[in-house]
Amino acid sequence: MTTEIDNTSSTAADTSSIPVLEEERVTAITALESEFGELITHFRRVVMDNANRLSPGMLPGAYKTFTTIVRYESSTASTLTDVLQMDKGQLSRTVRELEELGLIQRTPDPADRRSMLLSATEDGLTRLAVARRPQEGAMLRRLADWELDDISTLTALLHRLITVTREA
């Protein structure tokens, strides 16, 4: 039996754009949200542990900023505010902290001398590798028995979900 859930009535939050969905779909989406919540909790724990190994007391936001700089190899503050969706004041404080810890350095941007490029120091890269070492290969070990098609399907579906989420 398919029961339709009417999500089109307006409440305190604007729900007028939510489509009418059958009960099974609502249940499946709710279960997916729950699993994502568990996954996010796990990754927050990993990030907190890595941040503390990188520098005791480091906040996860500073760790995320640092790993984003590492991923981009070098970046301007403006790019980081866009990528991390962080306000300029918070980013400025975080960059100063990372610089004081010797994890990043500033160099003039050759494309725009008014701007500075932020990049990881050699010490920062070494410390990050040490901080990440405990869970290196964890995903490889956990998915070693999965079918290759399942891994590919999960990857494609996550990419698709991220794409539609960004459009919202």
Side-chain angles (χ1 to χ4, degrees):
M1 178 175 120
T2 301
T3 304
E4 291 193 352
I5 307 291
D6 183 357
N7 295 323
T8 58
S9 63
S10 288
T11 59
D14 181 19
T15 59
S16 60
S17 63
I18 299 175
V20 175
L21 301 174
E22 68 273 8
E23 186 174 352
E24 294 86 41
R25 184 171 299 273
V26 171
T27 300
I29 292 170
T30 301
L32 178 62
E33 287 176 337
S34 178
E35 292 301 320
F36 271 119
E38 292 296 319
L39 188 61
I40 289 166
T41 298
H42 168 74
F43 279 112
R44 280 186 180 150
R45 207 172 307 118
V46 168
V47 167
M48 286 175 42
D49 290 347
N50 285 353
N52 275 312
R53 281 192 295 272
L54 185 63
S55 180
M58 176 180 274
L59 295 174
Y63 179 80
K64 178 65 176 168
T65 301
F66 178 60
T67 58
T68 301
I69 291 168
V70 169
R71 187 173 70 246
Y72 280 78
E73 295 182 2
S74 67
S75 177
T76 63
S78 176
T79 298
L80 288 173
T81 57
D82 291 342
V83 169
L84 297 170
Q85 297 180 350
M86 183 184 269
D87 73 54
K88 289 179 183 181
Q90 177 63 41
L91 181 67
S92 178
R93 290 186 294 277
T94 302
V95 164
R96 190 170 38 255
E97 174 190 348
L98 295 173
E99 210 171 15
E100 289 169 0
L101 290 170
L103 299 173
I104 65 167
Q105 61 191 356
R106 297 177 203 232
T107 55
D109 183 348
D112 180 359
R113 290 288 181 186
R114 298 168 296 170
S115 185
M116 300 296 278
L117 290 176
L118 306 170
S119 59
T121 62
E122 286 302 316
D123 183 49
L125 293 172
T126 300
R127 289 170 58 187
L128 180 61
V130 169
R132 287 178 165 169
R133 193 164 296 136
Q135 82 267 353
E136 270 181 4
M139 188 72 81
L140 291 172
R141 287 188 301 277
R142 290 181 181 125
L143 300 182
D145 296 338
W146 282 38
E147 294 292 325
L148 188 55
D149 285 345
D150 289 344
I151 295 168
S152 297
T153 299
L154 178 59
T155 302
L157 290 172
L158 285 173
H159 178 76
R160 190 166 138 202
L161 180 61
I162 289 166
T163 302
V164 298
T165 302
R166 284 185 181 145
E167 293 170 358

